[in-house]
Amino acid sequence: SKIPTLIIHGGGDYFVPPSMSREIADANKNIEYVVFPGAEHGISAIIHTEKYNQLVNSFIKKCF
């Protein structure tokens, strides 16, 4: 895909291991992959709110 994609993964995710999204990111140079240390499945934005919001806003500005 040529569409810019952002994958955010929690480093403490045991439901979907970070290695799975890393494999997807490695397959495409248009994917930006970020791991939030200690965050379990689906709670990166809760644990690292400020950093998460900065990342998403930066990605949106870069794409548009």
Side-chain angles (χ1 to χ4, degrees), residues 2 4 6 8-11 13-16 19 22 28 33-35 41 43 45 47-50 55-56 61 64:
K2 294 180 182 179
L6 173 62
I8 298 172
H9 210 118
D13 189 343
Y14 297 103
F15 184 67
V16 179
S19 61
R22 168 48 68 194
N28 189 319
Y33 175 69
V34 179
V35 175
H41 187 78
I43 64 168
I47 302 271
H48 301 280
T49 305
E50 188 174 332
L55 174 67
V56 172
K61 286 178 184 176
F64 298 100

Side-chain angles (χ1 to χ4, degrees), residues 22-33:
R22 168 48 68 194
E23 186 176 341
I24 293 167
D26 287 345
N28 189 319
K29 66 180 179 181
N30 291 312
I31 295 176
E32 183 176 341
Y33 175 69

Side-chain angles (χ1 to χ4, degrees), residues 44-59:
S44 295
I46 296 169
I47 302 271
H48 301 280
T49 305
E50 188 174 332
K51 184 178 176 186
Y52 183 96
N53 289 338
Q54 288 173 350
L55 174 67
V56 172
N57 287 328
S58 173
F59 182 77

